[in-house]
Amino acid sequence: MIKLKADSGPSVTLTEFPNAQPITDTDIDTDDHVVGSATWIRKEYDVYLARVSLDRPANNWQIQITNDDSTPHAFQIISHGETKIRNANGSPGSTSLYCGHFPCACTIHEGTSTMACPHCNHYGSPG
């Protein structure tokens, strides 16, 4: 279970893609104002991608991840926007290159700005 909270707004449990949940913030005034939306998707190798789209700035974002499965899992948070991430902790592989196009979780991304990746068909170089 993945929850997000912006400033003093309520904690929101995210739903699976494509159903994005609105994230609200009560710091703007007494009414809840939507500052963004978020969703998640599970890919191979037990990779969970959470997508947060920001509509307005919030100063204090909080994320809570709860394992509600009967099998124990360990979670690591990797954040990226327009940049791509090289995962160096060995999960799912020490040389994994992540695509960066949501909800794609291509872990062997070889695309460039002029050539699509042969694995996921997305353009852009991993960083």
Side-chain angles (χ1 to χ4, degrees):
M1 177 174 46
I2 303 171
K3 290 184 176 184
L4 281 180
K5 180 178 174 157
D7 292 327
S8 64
S11 181
V12 176
T13 301
L14 304 188
T15 54
E16 191 169 1
F17 180 78
N19 300 316
Q21 294 295 313
I23 310 298
T24 58
D25 178 7
T26 55
D27 279 356
I28 298 171
D29 58 34
T30 56
D31 296 324
D32 286 349
H33 280 85
V34 175
V35 293
S37 61
T39 185
W40 65 268
I41 190 168
R42 180 180 179 180
K43 301 299 265 186
E44 62 276 350
Y45 303 110
D46 287 332
V47 171
Y48 292 80
L49 300 175
R51 179 181 188 180
V52 180
S53 299
L54 302 178
D55 297 329
R56 295 183 180 179
N59 295 321
N60 183 20
W61 284 90
Q62 297 175 38
I63 186 168
Q64 176 185 351
I65 300 172
T66 304
N67 180 16
D68 56 2
D69 190 10
S70 60
T71 304
H73 297 281
F75 291 93
Q76 177 184 11
I77 295 176
I78 299 174
S79 172
H80 65 92
E82 296 301 317
T83 61
K84 314 307 181 275
I85 301 298
R86 178 180 295 273
N87 186 6
N89 76 342
S91 174
S94 60
T95 59
S96 297
L97 299 174
Y98 288 91
C99 170
H101 293 272
F102 191 88
C104 182
C106 177
T107 58
I108 48 176
H109 187 73
E110 297 172 347
T112 68
S113 60
T114 58
M115 183 183 77
C117 173
H119 309 288
C120 69
N121 206 34
H122 289 124
Y123 288 85
S125 299

